[in-house]
Amino acid sequence: MNIFITILKRDLLLAIRHRAELLNPMLFFVLVIVLFQLGMRAKPAVLVTLAPAIVWIAALLSALLSLDHMFRSDMEDGALEQMIISTQPTSLLVLAKILAHWIITGLPVTLIAPILGLMLGLTGDASLILFFTLLIGTPILSAIGSIGVALTVGLRRGSVLLSILVLPLYVPVLIFASQTVNTFMAGYPIFASLSVLMAMLVLSLSLSPWASSAALRMSVS
Amino acid sequence: MEIESQPYSQAARLGAENLCVEKQDRWLFQNITFQLEPGEMLHLRGTNGSGKTTLLRIVCGLTNADQGEINWAGKSIKQQRDEYHSQLSYVGHSDGIKQDLSVTENLKVAAVLARGKQQTPKPIDIDQTLRDMGLNKKKDTFAHDLSAGQRRRLALARCLLNDTSIWILDEPLTALDKHGVEIVENMISAHLHRNGMAIVTSHQELTINKDRCKDLDLS
Amino acid sequence: MYRWFHQLGSPPTFYKWSGQWLPWLTFVCITLFVVGLYGGLVYAPADYLQKDSFRIIYVHVPAAWMSMFVYVVMAFSGAIALIWHIKLSEIMMLSSASIGASFTFIALITGSIWGKPTWGTWWEWGDARLLSELLLLFLYIGIIGLYSAIEDKRKAAEAVSILALVGIVNIPIIHYSVIFLNTLHQGPTVSKFDSPSIETSMLIPLLIMALAFKLFYIIVLLMRSRNELLWRERRSQWVRNIIKGTGNV
Amino acid sequence: MYEFLHMGGYGGYIWSAYGITAIVLTLSIVLPIIQSRKNHKRIEHMLEQEQD
């Protein structure tokens, strides 16, 4: 357990020392939403129905954008090799890195999402539900994304391939999360889709560290 | 420069049997076999691109050879991955130092990676290791403020701190000044004296007593 | 049984055995195709609702089944290669990727062509089957892209088998989330693919075509595996004999 | 024969679907054959190089 906290603290420390980079995911998230509004100039009634999808696609893209430096810097300065030949199970280290990535990118996006939801015309409760779906959903994005990053970290120009590998796997999260908010706005109970989202979270947090560590061992070899 | 001198408890024979690695349609090297007894050092020589680094990474278990086996204490390392890695320290070309962490922070993370279960090493261990490596004045400076030679010594300090019986060092003397080279040579011979083993690649000659030193030329 | 499997595993025997089987397989496959096409296009009566446009199912449905089947075979042989390092199953996995992608592509195109007369649109977002077929195509593209992006082919094969395993876990999730999305819109659409409750005279050609597609897959798989095997073992003696000896396929 | 081609007004859809399928399938058969010939030539070339 000690190793998990050490790697987590180390990654957060490294992120804080690059304070400027911390803002990138949030700025990108807000910018994408603003672009949607400018692009559509839709009537408020239409905008509200699209709001969950817009916010979620923006969150998904900002997670995808910042996935790359989850392992990239460790790969370059040899820290990844040290992790793999350490006695600690690599999947525990990967889980720590996934959590660190979520705290750095997923959490800030989730925190400011309700405000943007209100901006797009969502009611207070709908924004709250949006916040919950993001709170549950963004860790899934980091977990699944870690598999794609681990597979492509060895490549010099892997980023386009990364999005082709990862986006199809993001589809279920996007569907269930934005549908949860839509069904809430339509007044139906949302327990079903929310629990499916929780199930996805548990599944991705338990399976993806194994797959990512196998992929890392391959990329480093 | 006093280094604890009791021998490593888990030192055991490390050997390789006819390792072969293929690289783009030709053999990088074929049928490499060597045996290393506790207390001995293998000096790996060879021209650039003759596969020295690949061989080191195979011994570390980072890469798999196309054919052949590495065995430690009589068993293949693939079956005893964790015990083998608990006895191994590897310093490669990219030395695994995070530029934005301070010297002590880097060593703390490296120590937890190696020890894991027990707590992080007591501060005096870190100070002792830094004093041995001549870095004690640089305790809290960031790694990116260190010179290349100091960074190299910081990477090598990991081997001392983690107290592992097998050292795999890839060009440990690069970027080191005369004083640095002397520190590293004393460190290695003390390590061999404690029944430790080392596999080293280096273009410069290492003044280590000859009877403990084996040679292997890949080119 | 194990001895046969182990013996098959050795490249020269696999090469010889597959060489003998290929002509027969091709012959049977061609006859199945001819019979299936005749059955589907001529013999089967026109559907009372969709009239003749339903005949596209004789190509669309087998391709859709095969696209899923090939992915499962790919992931399965990838897992074997990852765990037991059996070289032949690694080759089988790699040879299945492109044929699986082409089946998915066929299923997609014929599906949308069929959508036009029946639903009036080239692309029906509501249709769960077509959507998951599209995402399956992206999974295949990811696998082929990843394999070509990594230079060291042994590492690339390992990466592909990991991705295939991740994909196999995600396919049911993607499929049911698309159906979930679909049922929200307009209730359970009468999916034209639900299990063949259609008359036997329409059903038999469909099964023949499905068998023909399966055989076609096996033929292409064997051919690609033989090429890959020959190239990987090019310095070994048995390849030299083959090249010097017969010099043909 | 015309009746067969006309397919009750859906000829265009049916034959385009079957046409694309035929193209993709023949392509998947022809490519491995070409690759096999290419492999044979490359290996023969390699063997000759080794002799002289």
Side-chain angles (χ1 to χ4, degrees):
Chain A
M1 214 22 215
N2 183 350
I3 180 70
F4 182 83
I5 298 160
T6 318
I7 295 291
L8 187 62
K9 265 199 301 181
R10 185 201 78 147
D11 269 19
L12 294 179
L13 197 61
L14 284 171
I16 288 163
R17 292 205 172 136
H18 288 283
R19 212 164 283 105
E21 271 172 35
L22 277 179
L23 290 176
N24 289 357
M26 275 195 289
L27 292 178
F28 178 83
F29 176 66
V30 173
L31 200 57
V32 168
I33 292 174
V34 166
L35 289 181
F36 259 105
Q37 283 183 313
L38 294 180
M40 286 200 299
R41 296 308 310 139
K43 292 191 295 305
V46 173
L47 205 57
V48 169
T49 53
L50 295 179
I54 294 171
V55 169
W56 251 95
I57 289 171
L60 189 140
L61 291 178
S62 77
L64 186 66
L65 185 80
S66 56
L67 270 181
D68 202 43
H69 54 64
M70 189 190 274
F71 297 119
R72 178 75 62 189
S73 55
D74 285 340
M75 179 76 165
E76 266 139 23
D77 54 29
L80 205 52
E81 283 163 0
Q82 297 300 330
M83 284 188 201
I84 285 178
I85 63 167
S86 78
T87 53
Q88 305 310 315
T90 327
S91 31
L92 196 61
L93 304 174
V94 167
L95 200 61
K97 289 197 89 59
I98 290 171
L99 193 61
H101 177 263
W102 177 66
I103 292 171
I104 295 163
T105 51
L107 200 54
V109 158
T110 313
L111 293 178
I112 61 169
I115 305 152
L116 290 158
L118 292 172
M119 246 170 66
L120 288 170
L122 288 177
T123 62
D125 319 343
S127 300
L128 196 62
I129 297 295
L130 180 70
F131 169 78
F132 279 121
T133 55
L134 277 164
L135 197 62
I136 300 168
T138 40
I140 303 175
L141 302 182
S142 298
I144 297 177
S146 76
I147 303 174
V149 174
L151 285 168
T152 56
V153 72
L155 309 177
R156 279 175 306 286
R157 18 119 195 87
S159 60
V160 177
L161 185 64
L162 174 64
S163 32
I164 294 171
L165 297 187
V166 166
L167 281 178
L169 307 179
Y170 278 176
V171 160
V173 185
L174 175 66
I175 287 178
F176 273 101
S178 51
Q179 284 316 320
T180 309
V181 186
N182 284 339
T183 39
F184 176 80
M185 287 197 299
Y188 294 107
I190 54 159
F191 181 71
S193 43
L194 209 58
S195 49
V196 168
L197 215 53
M198 293 290 287
M200 280 192 205
L201 177 63
V202 169
L203 186 73
S204 60
L205 283 184
S206 54
L207 287 187
S208 47
W210 172 82
S212 301
S213 55
L216 279 181
R217 227 171 272 123
M218 176 279 303
S219 296
V220 162
S221 72
Chain B
M1 195 164 64
E2 176 266 330
I3 299 174
E4 330 89 31
S5 58
Q6 81 280 14
Y8 295 101
S9 53
Q10 290 186 324
R13 181 201 313 214
L14 176 66
E17 276 155 35
N18 39 54
L19 292 175
C20 310
V21 169
E22 204 181 340
K23 195 158 183 253
Q24 283 124 8
D25 300 354
R26 63 172 176 73
W27 290 108
L28 193 57
F29 49 75
Q30 274 184 306
N31 300 337
I32 298 290
T33 308
F34 62 81
Q35 289 291 346
L36 206 59
E37 300 301 333
E40 280 176 354
M41 181 186 99
L42 180 70
H43 188 150
L44 208 51
R45 295 174 201 282
T47 57
N48 286 343
S50 56
K52 299 199 293 293
T53 305
T54 318
L55 181 58
L56 285 187
R57 290 169 69 90
I58 289 170
V59 175
C60 289
L62 279 171
T63 343
N64 296 326
D66 290 330
Q67 284 149 30
E69 273 301 327
I70 301 280
N71 23 45
W72 177 66
K75 272 198 317 192
S76 155
I77 56 170
K78 288 198 176 71
Q79 283 128 20
Q80 45 181 346
R81 214 178 147 72
D82 276 349
E83 303 92 76
Y84 177 63
H85 281 155
S86 67
Q87 282 303 314
L88 179 95
S89 291
Y90 169 62
V91 176
H93 281 302
S94 49
D95 42 29
I97 301 293
K98 295 303 283 183
Q99 301 298 335
D100 304 317
L101 291 180
S102 76
V103 169
T104 33
E105 281 162 357
N106 264 304
L107 282 181
K108 273 212 188 87
V109 171
V112 169
L113 271 179
R115 285 186 179 69
K117 308 228 173 13
Q118 307 100 332
Q119 20 40 7
T120 51
K122 297 177 283 308
I124 42 150
D125 288 359
I126 294 186
D127 293 342
Q128 173 62 46
T129 319
L130 287 178
R131 214 169 298 115
D132 300 338
M133 297 307 287
L135 290 168
N136 39 19
K137 291 188 292 306
K138 300 281 179 186
K139 234 158 81 65
D140 295 320
T141 49
F142 285 114
H144 54 69
D145 298 335
L146 296 175
S147 73
Q150 285 162 335
R151 217 174 294 131
R152 203 73 189 142
R153 273 189 270 145
L154 176 57
L156 292 165
R158 255 202 320 263
C159 307
L160 277 183
L161 188 66
N162 295 339
D163 198 29
T164 53
S165 62
I166 305 168
W167 288 2
I168 313 258
L169 312 176
D170 200 344
E171 302 288 349
L173 304 182
T174 46
L176 287 186
D177 52 24
K178 210 178 70 53
H179 175 55
V181 168
E182 198 194 316
I183 291 178
V184 171
E185 276 170 355
N186 294 343
M187 182 177 121
I188 293 177
S189 33
H191 173 67
L192 297 180
H193 205 62
R194 294 177 55 205
N195 240 348
M197 288 178 285
I199 301 180
V200 180
T201 61
S202 173
H203 289 297
Q204 297 147 318
E205 269 316 307
L206 284 147
T207 54
I208 309 274
N209 38 36
K210 276 304 153 232
D211 59 0
R212 284 181 184 275
C213 185
K214 286 183 176 172
D215 281 289
L216 177 63
D217 196 325
L218 285 183
S219 44
Chain C
M1 170 56 191
Y2 180 73
R3 205 185 60 74
W4 172 80
F5 178 76
H6 186 70
Q7 206 226 354
L8 179 71
S10 81
T13 24
F14 170 76
Y15 195 86
K16 189 164 58 60
W17 167 83
S18 53
Q20 287 152 0
W21 275 81
L22 264 177
W24 293 106
L25 285 175
T26 351
F27 173 72
V28 173
C29 182
I30 291 169
T31 39
L32 278 177
F33 262 120
V34 166
V35 169
L37 284 175
Y38 174 78
L41 291 173
V42 176
Y43 172 72
D47 179 68
Y48 61 91
L49 196 63
Q50 300 172 9
K51 295 188 192 53
D52 281 296
S53 74
F54 96 100
R55 294 186 193 282
I56 297 183
I57 67 162
Y58 292 115
V59 176
H60 175 73
V61 170
W65 283 345
M66 280 312 290
S67 64
M68 193 66 73
F69 175 75
V70 168
Y71 199 97
V72 171
V73 168
M74 198 168 64
F76 189 68
S77 49
I80 294 174
L82 202 61
I83 298 163
W84 290 296
H85 302 296
I86 295 180
K87 189 191 279 243
L88 205 57
S89 70
E90 184 179 294
I91 291 174
M92 292 271 188
M93 170 187 71
L94 298 172
S95 321
S96 309
S98 44
I99 180 72
S102 15
F103 279 139
T104 325
F105 178 74
I106 294 174
L108 264 177
I109 296 290
T110 49
S112 71
I113 290 175
W114 189 8
K116 190 74 180 87
T118 34
W119 285 341
T121 58
W122 285 107
W123 182 255
E124 173 46 57
W125 281 108
D127 180 358
R129 279 284 322 180
L130 231 46
L131 269 184
S132 32
E133 206 65 49
L134 178 66
L135 292 172
L136 185 60
L137 184 64
F138 280 120
L139 289 182
Y140 273 114
I141 292 169
I143 283 193
I144 295 169
L146 185 63
Y147 184 69
S148 48
I150 299 178
E151 295 82 21
D152 173 347
K153 284 314 160 198
R154 216 154 47 83
K155 267 170 69 171
E158 199 177 331
V160 164
S161 40
I162 295 169
L163 184 60
L165 283 175
V166 169
I168 214 66
V169 170
N170 274 287
I171 283 180
I173 298 173
I174 291 175
H175 190 61
Y176 287 112
S177 51
V178 166
I179 288 177
F180 167 79
L181 177 74
N182 176 275
T183 47
L184 275 177
H185 275 311
Q186 73 232 42
T189 56
V190 175
S191 158
K192 50 185 176 290
F193 310 127
D194 41 23
S195 56
S197 54
I198 52 181
E199 299 155 29
T200 47
S201 67
M202 289 183 188
L203 178 61
I204 297 162
L206 186 61
L207 296 181
I208 295 172
M209 284 300 281
L211 208 57
F213 269 68
K214 229 176 260 304
L215 269 182
F216 183 85
Y217 163 57
I218 292 168
I219 291 165
V220 172
L221 180 68
L222 287 183
M223 287 168 71
R224 283 184 178 273
S225 310
R226 282 157 60 88
N227 292 344
E228 180 72 18
L229 202 60
L230 211 63
W231 181 250
R232 281 195 187 193
E233 305 267 326
R234 58 194 177 283
R235 274 199 302 282
S236 58
Q237 192 47 36
W238 68 274
V239 172
R240 288 169 203 267
N241 304 347
I242 286 180
I243 300 294
K244 281 208 197 63
T246 54
N248 56 24
V249 169
Chain D
M1 192 48 199
Y2 170 77
E3 181 45 40
F4 176 71
L5 283 183
H6 187 51
M7 273 291 172
Y10 296 102
Y13 302 116
I14 291 175
W15 295 119
S16 54
Y18 278 75
I20 289 168
T21 313
I23 293 166
V24 174
L25 290 188
T26 28
L27 216 61
S28 336
I29 277 283
V30 163
L31 284 179
I33 293 177
I34 296 170
Q35 200 200 9
S36 155
R37 291 229 169 76
K38 206 156 57 98
N39 270 357
H40 274 266
K41 279 201 190 53
R42 270 161 68 184
I43 296 176
E44 270 158 28
H45 182 62
M46 199 183 75
L47 292 182
E48 276 137 27
Q49 258 177 350
E50 264 164 21
Q51 257 113 27
D52 48 35

